[in-house]
Amino acid sequence: GAVVSQHPSRVICKSGTSVKIECRSLDFQATTMFWYRQFPKQSLMLMATSNEGSKATYEQGVEKDKFLINHASLTLSTLTVTSAHPEDSSFYICSAVQGQETQYFGPGTRLLVL
Amino acid sequence: GENVEQHPSTLSVQEGDSAVIKCTYSDSASNYFPWYKQELGKGPQLIIDIRSNVGEKKDQRIAVTLNKTAKHFSLHITETQPEDSAVYFCAASLPRNTGNQFYFGTGTSLTVIP
């Protein structure tokens, strides 16, 4: 199957700092990428839909100024957690859509805010 | 919108036995149904998918069946092995003007006992 990478795989930061997570589709172009957040033993919670060249669409309850998403090219989307706080600690997963519907996930980024 | 329900939430089977996970969806317009396997600390991995014009699909020990009339689809794993232990998520994809929207089940934690 197609490969999606995420970087970094884990990050520890101090409260108040910003953290950028990169999501890349390595062997295909993705017009659409999704960003999810996952709490322990729970399902995937969609945060936003990222379309190349346009503004991201955020789900209800997700602060767009807190979670900045940029989809500058067909192979790269970034999520920046601004002014991170301990409650932002979580597992963040991106996915990229190949063609119209096949969604491939990245390996995830574990964020710990101290 | 779409609502996807998944059962059971946990499942334990003896090695070599079969495992079945069932999902239902509510919107008859959903036309694509992927299944993902997520191991601890990793991103979900696409293991099999089925489109609405097909009733069954098989890939070695894994099979998926779809009943469009009843709006349910199931994952079947035969001859289970300990490495099949993971959390499995079903999903339904609903076409939208802005692109396909994915709706995930709540996950099934499968344990294969050696």
Side-chain angles (χ1 to χ4, degrees), chain B residues 16-100:
Chain B
D17 288 350
S18 295
V20 180
I21 303 171
K22 298 181 179 181
C23 287
T24 61
Y25 60 100
S26 59
D27 196 322
S28 57
S30 290
N31 60 4
Y32 171 65
F33 307 90
W35 284 90
Y36 293 89
K37 174 184 180 182
Q38 186 177 26
E39 297 176 343
L40 192 63
K42 297 182 179 180
Q45 178 188 8
L46 178 67
I47 56 172
I48 197 167
D49 55 12
I50 191 167
R51 289 173 173 79
S52 58
N53 58 348
V54 176
E56 184 174 358
K57 184 177 178 180
K58 189 174 182 180
D59 182 4
Q60 299 182 349
R61 296 187 296 108
I62 295 173
V64 57
T65 59
L66 170 65
N67 184 326
K68 285 198 303 181
T69 303
K71 295 199 207 59
H72 65 71
F73 55 112
S74 301
L75 177 70
H76 305 253
I77 306 174
T78 58
E79 300 173 28
T80 54
Q81 301 167 2
E83 50 266 38
D84 294 330
S85 297
V87 178
Y88 292 81
F89 291 99
C90 66
S93 176
L94 188 60
R96 297 281 191 210
N97 290 337
T98 52
N100 285 29

Side-chain angles (χ1 to χ4, degrees), chain A residues 34 36 38 42-44 46 59 91 93 97 100-108 110, chain B residues 31-32 36 38 41-44 46 49 51 89 93 98 100-102 104-107:
Chain A
F34 296 101
Y36 296 86
Q38 188 177 36
Q42 293 192 21
S43 188
L44 303 158
L46 180 65
E59 295 299 302
F91 192 50
I93 312 173
V97 178
Q100 290 295 317
E101 60 195 7
T102 309
Q103 185 176 188
Y104 294 96
F105 285 88
R110 178 77 58 191
Chain B
N31 60 4
Y32 171 65
Y36 293 89
Q38 186 177 26
K42 297 182 179 180
L46 178 67
D49 55 12
R51 289 173 173 79
F89 291 99
S93 176
T98 52
N100 285 29
Q101 184 73 42
F102 291 84
F104 286 86
T106 50

Side-chain angles (χ1 to χ4, degrees), chain A residues 37-49:
Chain A
R37 185 173 179 175
Q38 188 177 36
F39 294 100
K41 298 185 178 181
Q42 293 192 21
S43 188
L44 303 158
M45 184 187 81
L46 180 65
M47 298 176 64
T49 302

Side-chain angles (χ1 to χ4, degrees), chain A residues 7 20 26 33 36 40 55 59 67 70 77 84 86 90 93 102:
Chain A
H7 179 80
K20 180 185 282 188
L26 298 185
M33 290 184 172
Y36 296 86
K55 291 183 178 180
E59 295 299 302
F67 300 99
N70 183 275
S77 177
S90 193
I93 312 173
T102 309

